[in-house]
Amino acid sequence: MIEKLLIRNFKKWHRLELPLNSDVNILVGDNDTGKSTILQAVEMVLTGRISGRAIEQEIAPHWFSQECVQEYLESVKTDATAALPEIIIEAYFKTSPELNDLEGRNNLLGEKASGFQLLITFDPDYTAELQSVLNSNEEITSLPVEYYKVERRDFSGERAPVRNQPVKAAMIDTSGVRLYSGVDYYLRHIISSNLSDKERAGLALSYRTYRENISKSEGVTTANEVLSESDNTLRKKTVTLGLDTSARASWETDVIPHFDDIPFHAAGQGEQSAFKMLLALDKHSKDKHVVLVEEPENHLSFGNLNTLLGRIKERGKNQQLILTTHSSLVLNKLGLDKLTLLAEGTYTRFNDLSDDTRDHFLKLAGYDTLRLLLARATILVEGPSDELIVQKAYEQRFGNAPIDDGIDIISVQLTFKRFLELGEKLGRKVAVITDLDSETDQLKARKRFQGFEKPDGNVRGFIGEVADGRTLEPQIVSAAGVKSLNAVFGTTIADKAAMSDYMTKTKTDAALAILLSDEKIEFPKFINEAIDHVR
């Protein structure tokens, strides 16, 4: 298992040292934060391939981080001997007797550890060619990746093996298009590795025998009788049809799985993706140590995704799973304590969450925790009517929806303390708006936030004045006045008490009417203070 991953100058990651859990790792982040890059880095350092293809054939200038490219392009203007940037990826493994041969200090940290190092560096064999480019009058605008080479070594300094890898990886990318050409590289590899040597040998023999027997079939025999009479070769050789029975004619390229007699490539994309994942995570397969999954939720309905996650938890106990996701269900079901949040070239781990918070979201996986994790700032409210009111207060002041400014308003019922534990770790602005309910004064009500409101001021709670009412509706009536609210609702209600009663009985409808109305009203002070806090 990988304990730590180091990346230097690869795509989004100029420098990254990422600890990994031995079982499940969930990578979450906004678009273009480097989630997929981490999966690719693991695949490359463990297999020497990327998307099933040799790394050497795929190197491109955009692989190098913008920081290192800009540094080089500036340096080479005045110094033709400036060192070309290089990509380094290192996987540090958990100590194990089986991996002693990989142990050494051939790594960036100089640590005595077992692991693999991948280097994409300038090949000195092209020194003359590079010098010719540098001596020309043309300005260099990108790296000459054609002059780069790829090396993969273990930490003892030995070249990493191409076959019989001591730590194997399977990559499942569910975002790809349907496979019309049969079975892709990874599926062939996964199927093959789930069979024993005897089972593979038996299948290969059966396949070769099958191909030999086709050559003896009536249709082929008849065709060969006709062809044998032709005279289209230089040395009068007999021409016949037959199937290739050499070793290169492997069953792995032609024999494909079927679902209820439907060929794999003709099945739904969701079924294809789920099959790959479950096969890669099969508990009986001991040689696939690291399974990489890109967005397992793709092409799956909510129910089928829930079923898949249950199967993943059952099967993946002896393997390391690293996946990316944009699904709160995936995050909650596999465990928030397995989360690594990526943002702005850094990361935040949640492995020290309390058991209560982890279990809460595990049991009630429908909560949209990703909204809190990915927002620039958040306002937590108790219900859907509160959410509508706060949104209207924001739009009325600033002329746009809060989400346009990266601020999310999330209805969390009575579970705001669970969300606050997440928000506390994020170090971002979080406001909580709650009712007074049965409390007789603000000091007692504010005890709800003890332990979360810190000196840094990121997390704060907001509650209305006792004199204005104990729930949101009378608070709005007190701030806006009966006349303004009658204009919103098209009513002729006479006093504050009756208006509060009306709004309480039609809670969500009244809030929606306020949101959709063109009338401007005065909102309670504590709501505006909460908005000011997150802005």
Side-chain angles (χ1 to χ4, degrees):
M1 305 301 181
I2 303 174
E3 283 192 327
K4 182 166 51 186
L5 179 73
L6 259 67
I7 299 177
R8 295 290 185 270
N9 300 331
F10 184 47
K11 295 189 176 181
K12 295 292 295 185
W13 296 106
H14 184 51
R15 297 177 68 88
L16 176 68
E17 183 175 331
L18 180 66
L20 292 171
N21 303 315
S22 61
D23 48 4
V24 177
N25 297 269
I26 307 169
L27 305 180
V28 167
D30 211 339
N31 294 330
D32 201 32
T33 53
K35 302 185 298 297
S36 299
T37 299
I38 290 174
L39 296 190
Q40 290 176 335
V42 175
E43 177 192 5
M44 289 164 65
V45 73
L46 293 189
T47 70
R49 305 174 73 87
I50 181 169
S51 300
R53 297 182 292 273
I55 296 172
E56 293 88 342
Q57 301 170 4
E58 302 296 320
I59 301 175
H62 71 267
W63 278 21
F64 294 79
S65 69
Q66 290 183 355
E67 291 92 334
C68 76
V69 172
Q70 289 304 316
E71 287 175 9
Y72 173 73
L73 294 180
E74 286 299 317
S75 298
V76 79
K77 290 178 181 178
T78 56
D79 181 8
T81 64
L84 281 157
E86 56 188 17
I87 291 172
I88 305 175
I89 302 171
E90 294 180 345
Y92 293 70
F93 300 138
K94 184 177 180 181
T95 302
S96 170
E98 293 84 1
L99 302 178
N100 284 344
D101 290 345
L102 309 181
E103 190 175 275
R105 297 184 182 275
N106 183 47
N107 54 67
L108 286 172
L109 302 179
E111 292 182 358
K112 187 176 182 181
S114 297
F116 283 137
Q117 180 187 69
L118 175 76
L119 296 173
I120 301 178
T121 60
F122 172 68
D123 187 342
D125 288 347
Y126 289 99
T127 299
E129 288 81 356
L130 175 63
Q131 197 60 47
S132 176
V133 171
L134 295 175
N135 290 336
S136 69
N137 294 324
E138 294 185 9
E139 182 181 358
I140 298 177
T141 58
S142 65
L143 297 182
V145 294
E146 295 78 9
Y147 303 154
Y148 273 71
K149 64 179 179 177
V150 177
E151 293 180 287
R152 199 165 63 92
R153 299 184 180 279
D154 61 41
F155 285 178
S156 73
E158 295 296 321
R159 187 176 296 277
V162 177
R163 299 180 182 274
N164 300 319
Q165 296 277 357
V167 179
K168 294 184 173 64
M171 176 78 168
I172 313 297
D173 185 353
T174 65
S175 63
V177 297
R178 189 189 301 267
L179 303 170
Y180 287 104
S181 58
V183 181
D184 67 3
Y185 166 82
Y186 286 110
L187 185 53
R188 292 200 305 270
H189 172 70
I190 293 168
I191 291 175
S192 179
S193 62
N194 271 267
L195 302 176
S196 68
D197 291 341
K198 287 186 178 180
E199 290 164 342
R200 282 195 295 270
L203 182 55
L205 177 60
S206 297
Y207 181 66
R208 183 165 60 81
T209 302
Y210 162 76
R211 294 175 73 93
E212 289 172 347
N213 288 337
I214 285 182
S215 300
K216 302 173 184 177
S217 65
E218 181 178 351
V220 175
T221 301
T222 301
N224 284 340
E225 289 175 354
V226 175
L227 290 173
S228 63
E229 298 174 357
S230 66
D231 185 20
N232 295 318
T233 63
L234 291 177
R235 298 183 179 276
K236 306 287 185 180
K237 293 189 176 183
T238 301
V239 178
T240 58
L241 298 177
L243 297 184
D244 187 359
T245 57
S246 65
R248 70 178 183 179
S250 168
W251 64 268
E252 293 174 307
T253 59
D254 289 343
V255 177
I256 64 174
H258 286 60
F259 302 141
D260 293 336
D261 296 329
I262 302 297
F264 176 81
H265 62 268
Q269 290 189 13
E271 192 70 59
Q272 290 185 37
S273 300
F275 176 69
K276 287 184 183 181
M277 276 182 273
L278 293 175
L279 195 59
L281 286 165
D282 195 294
K283 61 186 177 183
H284 299 299
S285 181
K286 298 178 181 179
D287 65 346
K288 294 180 299 298
H289 303 96
V290 181
V291 179
L292 311 167
V293 183
E294 184 85 60
E295 298 183 12
E297 66 268 19
N298 279 337
H299 313 300
L300 290 175
S301 66
F302 186 88
N304 283 335
L305 177 58
N306 187 61
T307 300
L308 173 64
L309 294 174
R311 300 280 293 279
I312 286 176
K313 291 182 71 174
E314 291 173 5
R315 293 192 178 201
K317 294 178 181 178
N318 297 319
Q319 292 160 318
Q320 186 175 37
L321 175 65
I322 307 173
L323 62 84
T324 69
T325 187
H326 285 288
S327 166
S328 289
L329 179 64
V330 173
L331 176 60
N332 296 343
K333 287 281 284 187
L334 294 183
L336 276 165
D337 56 329
K338 308 300 182 184
L339 166 66
T340 297
L341 179 66
L342 308 176
E344 300 175 357
T346 185
Y347 64 87
T348 303
R349 301 185 76 205
F350 290 73
N351 54 322
D352 57 351
L353 276 181
S354 69
D355 292 344
D356 288 344
T357 294
R358 179 201 62 205
D359 294 343
H360 174 82
F361 289 109
L362 187 64
K363 294 173 184 175
L364 301 172
Y367 281 112
D368 201 350
T369 49
L370 275 182
R371 288 175 60 186
L372 174 68
L373 296 172
L374 298 180
R376 181 180 66 79
T378 310
I379 300 176
L380 303 179
V381 297
E382 290 184 334
S385 59
D386 307 58
E387 184 177 346
L388 298 175
I389 293 297
V390 176
Q391 181 172 325
K392 176 64 175 183
Y394 192 100
E395 291 179 354
Q396 184 173 287
R397 286 183 61 187
F398 303 107
N400 56 269
I403 197 64
D404 294 333
D405 295 328
I407 299 170
D408 208 345
I409 305 170
I410 306 176
S411 173
V412 297
Q413 287 80 44
L414 300 176
T415 64
F416 64 86
K417 290 186 179 180
R418 304 302 177 198
F419 278 85
L420 283 180
E421 186 175 348
L422 297 179
E424 188 179 33
K425 288 189 65 64
L426 292 171
R428 301 175 191 161
K429 297 286 187 180
V430 180
V432 184
I433 296 177
T434 68
D435 293 335
L436 285 151
D437 294 323
S438 60
E439 300 295 352
T440 56
D441 62 60
Q442 273 209 349
L443 289 178
K444 289 184 178 179
R446 296 195 66 80
K447 290 182 179 178
R448 303 170 186 175
F449 311 110
Q450 284 182 346
F452 293 106
E453 290 186 320
K454 297 293 194 309
D456 62 18
N458 284 331
V459 176
R460 285 186 58 192
F462 298 87
I463 302 173
E465 297 292 336
V466 175
D468 295 329
R470 307 208 175 172
T471 60
L472 180 62
E473 288 73 26
Q475 293 277 346
I476 293 175
V477 174
S478 179
V482 174
K483 182 178 178 181
S484 293
L485 293 172
N486 274 326
V488 171
F489 302 136
T491 55
T492 57
I493 296 172
D495 55 58
K496 288 185 176 182
M499 180 61 78
S500 295
D501 185 58
Y502 170 80
M503 290 183 64
T504 300
K505 289 179 179 177
T506 61
K507 200 173 184 70
T508 304
D509 288 340
L512 184 60
I514 291 173
L515 175 67
L516 299 178
S517 175
D518 292 330
E519 295 286 336
K520 290 188 174 182
I521 67 171
E522 188 72 27
F523 286 94
K525 180 182 177 182
F526 72 97
I527 290 180
N528 285 315
E529 288 176 343
I531 291 171
D532 289 336
H533 171 66
V534 296
R535 279 182 64 90

